[in-house]
Amino acid sequence: GTHIICDRKFLLECKNSPVARTPPCCLPQTHGVTSLAQSSLVKLEELKERNESEEAMPDQDQFEMDI
């Protein structure tokens, strides 16, 4: 047989390809496996809102010091 040999750099570049980020067209829809479950979508939206609100807040010290 023929062996196809790829170096590490090529494989890492393939990871960022748009083709690698799209799912196959003939994949069956299985909730929670190939498509996100409804509860997961709600959780993702909550996390996005939390991250946006944290970014909007100015940086504050974690602990206040009384001197």
Side-chain angles (χ1 to χ4, degrees):
T2 304
H3 292 277
I4 299 174
I5 300 172
C6 301
D7 63 342
R8 183 178 186 273
K9 180 182 173 189
F10 173 75
L11 293 174
L12 287 174
E13 289 173 359
C14 289
K15 176 180 74 169
N16 297 327
S17 169
V19 175
R21 296 181 181 267
T22 50
C25 62
C26 57
L27 212 56
Q29 295 296 321
T30 306
H31 294 291
V33 178
T34 57
S35 63
L36 292 175
Q38 187 66 23
S39 62
S40 297
L41 290 174
V42 172
K43 289 179 184 177
L44 284 175
E45 290 175 7
E46 289 175 0
L47 286 174
K48 286 180 184 177
E49 290 174 4
R50 249 190 239 156
N51 287 340
E52 289 173 357
S53 65
E54 287 176 0
E55 290 174 0
M57 294 175 59
D59 291 335
Q60 297 177 353
D61 292 335
Q62 185 175 3
F63 301 103
E64 292 183 14
M65 293 182 64
D66 295 330
I67 297 179

